C-alpha cells in the first residue's frame, strides 16, 4: 500500500492531523461485525484459539483472528448475524478459563472496558410472565447495566422458569442479587438475580 502526503493543519502553531470522516466511516464498516475476545488467566495461542473456534463456533463461517500485544484478540466475523449468534450462544470457556466477549467499537479501550465493563449472562428466576415483553426485559437489564440481548428461549418463551439476558455490567462494583420493582398497583416487589458466571474478584450484594 503506497501512501500520499497530506498537509497537516496548523493550530496555535502546532501541526494537527485532521482525520477524514469518509475514510474513518469506511474503516469502521470493516470492523462493525468484529468482537473483542479476552481469556481470563493465561492467554491462549492463536492455534489454540483457532481449534476452539473451529469446534465451538462451528455454526458460523470461519472468522479472522488478530492478536494484540495487550493480551486480547480481535475476532472479525463474516457478518453481524454471525457475531450476534456467537454472543447469544455463550458463555464460553477455553481450558476451563472464562472467555470475555465484547462487540468492537471505534472507541474501544481494553483496560477501561474489558477489565471493567463485562457482558454477563443474567438470569431472572420466576419472572412473572407478564414481564417477558421487550420493554420490561429492557427495564430489568437497564437496572443492572446496558442490556444487549435476551436469549432465544427467553425471546420465544420456550422456558418459563427464568428469563436470561446478556447485560454489560461494571464488574468493579458489587453485583446485585436482587432488584426492586414497582408494579402497576404501586407495590414494591423484589426480583432475584442470578449469574451464569462472574469474575472471581466480584462481590454479590
Amino acid at each position: 500500500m503506497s501512501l500520499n502526503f497530506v498537509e497537516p493543519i496548523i493550530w496555535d502553531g502546532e501541526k494537527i492531523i485532521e482525520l477524514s470522516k469518509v475514510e474513518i466511516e469506511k474503516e469502521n464498516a470493516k470492523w462493525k461485525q468484529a468482537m473483542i475476545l479476552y481469556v481470563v488467566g493465561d492467554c491462549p495461542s492463536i492455534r489454540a484459539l483457532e481449534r476452539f473456534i473451529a469446534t465451538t463456533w462451528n455454526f458460523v463461517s470461519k472468522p479472522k483472528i488478530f492478536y494484540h500485544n495487550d493480551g486480547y484478540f480481535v475476532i472479525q466475523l463474516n457478518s453481524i448475524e454471525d457475531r450476534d449468534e456467537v454472543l447469544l450462544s455463550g458463555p464460553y470457556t477455553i481450558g476451563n478459563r472464562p472467555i470475555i466477549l465484547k462487540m468492537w467499537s471505534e472507541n474501544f479501550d481494553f483496560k477501561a472496558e474489558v477489565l471493567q465493563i463485562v457482558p454477563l449472562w443474567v438470569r431472572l428466576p420466576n419472572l412473572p410472565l407478564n414481564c417477558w415483553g421487550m420493554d420490561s426485559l429492557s427495564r430489568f437489564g437497564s437496572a443492572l447495566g446496558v442490556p444487549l440481548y435476551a436469549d432465544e428461549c427467553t425471546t420465544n418463551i420456550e422456558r418459563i422458569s427464568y428469563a436470561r439476558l446478556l447485560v454489560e455490567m461494571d464488574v468493579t462494583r458489587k453485583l446485585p442479587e436482587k432488584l426492586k420493582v414497582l408494579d402497576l398497583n404501586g407495590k414494591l416487589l423484589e426480583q432475584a438475580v442470578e449469574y451464569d458466571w462472574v469474575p472471581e474478584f466480584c462481590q454479590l450484594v
Side-chain angles (χ1 to χ4, degrees):
M1 175 172 59
S2 59
L3 303 178
N4 301 314
F5 177 78
V6 179
E7 187 76 39
I9 63 174
I10 305 299
W11 194 344
D12 291 336
E14 289 187 295
K15 290 183 179 180
I16 305 295
I17 299 167
E18 185 177 25
L19 297 176
S20 163
K21 181 180 179 181
V22 172
E23 172 82 0
I24 295 300
E25 289 179 347
K26 178 182 175 183
E27 294 301 312
N28 282 343
K30 292 180 181 179
W31 296 100
K32 64 181 179 181
Q33 68 268 35
M35 296 185 303
I36 308 300
L37 184 151
Y38 174 71
V39 178
V40 178
D42 293 334
C43 183
S45 66
I46 287 185
R47 289 294 178 87
L49 189 58
E50 285 176 341
R51 290 193 296 270
F52 166 83
I53 289 174
T55 56
T56 309
W57 297 355
N58 55 9
F59 48 86
V60 298
S61 301
K62 183 179 179 180
K64 293 181 179 178
I65 302 173
F66 304 90
Y67 175 71
H68 194 284
N69 285 340
D70 280 349
Y72 66 89
F73 298 88
V74 176
I75 312 297
Q76 190 176 37
L77 281 300
N78 291 284
S79 68
I80 291 177
E81 290 75 20
D82 279 2
R83 181 202 67 189
D84 291 349
E85 187 69 22
V86 168
L87 286 170
L88 284 169
S89 299
Y92 304 98
T93 60
I94 181 170
N96 294 320
R97 300 190 303 277
I99 292 175
I100 295 173
L101 286 174
K102 287 180 62 70
M103 288 186 285
W104 176 87
S105 66
E106 60 180 300
N107 298 315
F108 170 74
D109 183 328
F110 173 71
K111 293 182 180 179
E113 294 186 38
V114 169
L115 301 182
Q116 179 177 351
I117 307 298
V118 175
L120 297 178
W121 280 105
V122 175
R123 298 188 303 273
L124 304 175
N126 301 313
L127 184 70
L129 292 178
N130 59 0
C131 293
W132 285 57
M134 185 273 289
D135 182 75
S136 294
L137 292 174
S138 296
R139 291 171 186 265
F140 280 95
S142 298
L144 297 167
V146 179
L148 301 177
Y149 302 102
D151 72 2
E152 185 174 356
C153 289
T154 300
T155 301
N156 298 326
I157 316 181
E158 296 173 351
R159 171 206 59 231
I160 61 172
S161 54
Y162 61 87
R164 186 167 176 261
L165 316 176
L166 185 63
V167 182
E168 284 193 336
M169 300 182 65
D170 185 345
V171 296
T172 64
R173 299 181 178 182
K174 292 182 178 180
L175 304 181
E177 291 186 281
K178 56 187 176 182
L179 299 173
K180 300 287 187 180
V181 184
L182 188 65
D183 73 6
L184 297 183
N185 297 315
K187 185 178 180 181
L188 199 60
L189 307 174
E190 284 190 352
Q191 171 61 51
V193 181
E194 299 173 348
Y195 301 88
D196 283 12
W197 168 83
V198 295
E200 291 184 3
F201 57 84
C202 283
Q203 291 182 309
L204 300 178
V205 61

